[in-house]
Amino acid sequence: SAPPRVPMGSFTVWDYVVFAAMLLVSAIIGVYYAFVGGGQKTSKDFLMAGRSMSALPVALSLTASFMSAVTVLGTPAEIYRYGAIFCIFAITYGLVVLCSAEIFLPVFYKLGITSTYEYLELRFNKYLRLCGTVLFIIQTTLYTGIVIYAPALALNQVTGFDLWGAVVATGVVCTFYCTLGGLKAVVWTDVFQVGIMVAGFSSVIIRAVVVQEGIERIINDSYYGGRLNFWDFNPDPLQRHTFWTIVIGGTFTWTSIYGVNQSQVQRYISCKSRFHAKLSLYINLVGLWAILACAVLCGLALYSIYKDCDPWSAKQVSALDQLMPYLVLDILHDFPGVPGLFVASAYSGTLSTVSSSINALAAVTVEDLIKPYFRSLSEKKLSWISMGMSLFYGGICIAMAALASLLGALLQAALSIFGMVGGPLLGLFALGILCSFANGIGAFVGLVSGFVISLWVGIGSQIYPPLPEKTKPLYLSTAGCNISLGNLTSTENPLTTVFSTATAERPALADNWYSLSYLYFSTLGTLITVTVGIIISLLTGTGSNGQRKQEVLNWKPFTMADEGTDNPAFSHIEMDVADSKNKVNGLHM
């Protein structure tokens, strides 16, 4: 039986109080780290937390920024619509963390760099470094705009929570604590925000279990509704989610974020020793699994509660990511402040993602665009410039959110296209780290060709979205609704009605090449970059410069006795001085 329809509650004073409290605590943490320990004396303190962090806060921080509001609102809806095959990502996360911790982390940590793109200059040349930097800046600003705006819109449409109030408040608070407290503030606010996210998820799950009188019923409904579709070993690369697309495609997609993306790398490099850095990644894995489990349970609860009356087909909500807020107001409207907690948890996701983006953008700008060209700047000046950059990028992010409200679909498309940057960039780093003979020319040609092919598939899939037989949405019913529906067919995906007219004109490429599962876009980019890079490098030879740089950067995974001396910026003599200054830089373990 469908739960009795109540007039949907709207936000009460208490909900706003809970939300404001979350923002206030975040801001206080920023102020605290601006002044504790004498503040941010150097740019290294500001951008790298002085390389003094321990594993646990960093691990929680990595989990938090991975979990944007898109996860809080999007993943449960994804499971409601396509089933729990999404769980297979648990395997993917394990592989991703393994690759990041064992291949990329040792190289970045040992070199003591602030910006991952510095590696590209050390290994190849400064033009590749510039390529990486510029791509990262464009991708991250686009992404941040959508991350701020999309959840604000979904929550606003369902709960009537003020749209621009929320966007500006989150943007301003975020910029505030990033600018004042640097990376330390980013990490510790993330720790607090992870707590809020888990609390928000838990309140929904607990209440849903109570409403449905036990978890057995939720599981049972999901089973009979075909939502427990864990094992699908279809090797077809065109099908949206199968075991293979998630494990193989997902691993490449997420490694490009965990292994080489500045926002993530910057934080685990800020740990005080390499052991802590690795540990933070492995602890973060547990966090990812916990969040995934919460999201999956929420999705199954959504299905169990709305199995006879789907609010989306019934036009109660206009988009799938509004289902979670809709559920929250539906089952929690009698508990003052709890819907506010859920909204706070969605925005915590936004805040943590945006803050790490702002800090990473500031780091990349200072390290890659300012330091190399203005060498005379003092550390004090650099730390002020870093703060200025945080402020500047905070403003840019709010501006991008405003842009997203005007060009929503366009920006979303731009983002998915730029999301494809990750693949070729991962290929570029993999080439540098794993192929000793790769050279600058090969790397550059590889990057460009990987990029071109990714863009081709990406733009194609935006113009001709894959048909439902590839995406496999599951059945949704409106049989139990006591609302007049007009003549809507309940299972029809609104997209297919739009595109069924266009089926006739779909070119041959659309149904085999452009319909590639979105998870394989990164994989394609990486593999093409690496393959082309290797071929061109072998054809052009190492060149005069390649040999010397290679010796400097020769990555020896097993001879760890003499840590830190492979760092081209240090010589033994300097390291001895550093040793006496209580092991500055954390390069000796």
Side-chain angles (χ1 to χ4, degrees), residues 32 52 86 185 213 228 240 275 290 354 378 383 395 399 403 435 466 578:
Y32 175 75
S52 62
F86 203 80
E213 295 149 6
L228 300 184
R240 186 168 174 275
F275 172 73
V354 173
S378 68
S383 78
L403 196 64
C435 302

Side-chain angles (χ1 to χ4, degrees), residues 284-340:
N284 147 65
L285 179 58
V286 179
L288 293 182
W289 284 338
I291 298 288
L292 184 66
C294 285
V296 170
L297 276 171
C298 280
L300 297 179
L302 259 177
Y303 177 72
S304 175
I305 289 174
Y306 293 129
K307 64 177 185 299
D308 297 324
C309 176
D310 166 42
W312 181 54
S313 311
K315 293 279 179 278
Q316 295 288 305
V317 297
S318 57
L320 282 169
D321 58 0
Q322 296 171 13
L323 281 169
M324 275 302 279
Y326 184 84
L327 173 77
V328 167
L329 283 187
D330 195 359
I331 62 179
L332 290 165
H333 59 92
D334 298 334
F335 299 83
V338 181

Side-chain angles (χ1 to χ4, degrees), residues 263-385:
S263 327
Q264 300 286 54
V265 174
Q266 188 173 346
R267 265 163 309 163
Y268 58 67
I269 292 183
S270 72
C271 289
K272 56 189 172 200
S273 70
R274 213 186 65 180
F275 172 73
H276 273 269
K278 279 195 178 177
L279 190 61
S280 74
L281 273 172
Y282 288 119
I283 297 174
N284 147 65
L285 179 58
V286 179
L288 293 182
W289 284 338
I291 298 288
L292 184 66
C294 285
V296 170
L297 276 171
C298 280
L300 297 179
L302 259 177
Y303 177 72
S304 175
I305 289 174
Y306 293 129
K307 64 177 185 299
D308 297 324
C309 176
D310 166 42
W312 181 54
S313 311
K315 293 279 179 278
Q316 295 288 305
V317 297
S318 57
L320 282 169
D321 58 0
Q322 296 171 13
L323 281 169
M324 275 302 279
Y326 184 84
L327 173 77
V328 167
L329 283 187
D330 195 359
I331 62 179
L332 290 165
H333 59 92
D334 298 334
F335 299 83
V338 181
L341 177 69
F342 177 76
V343 169
S345 81
Y347 276 110
S348 289
T350 299
L351 276 176
S352 58
T353 308
V354 173
S355 61
S356 48
S357 298
I358 290 176
N359 196 268
L361 284 166
V364 162
T365 310
V366 169
E367 287 293 322
D368 297 340
L369 302 179
I370 294 174
K371 253 190 190 170
Y373 305 106
F374 303 94
R375 294 185 180 264
S376 57
L377 292 169
S378 68
E379 270 300 341
K380 191 75 194 146
K381 277 213 186 90
L382 275 173
S383 78
W384 281 108
I385 292 174

Side-chain angles (χ1 to χ4, degrees), residues 71-84:
T71 321
V72 178
L73 303 174
T75 311
E78 152 78 36
I79 282 155
Y80 177 75
R81 186 85 187 94
Y82 297 100

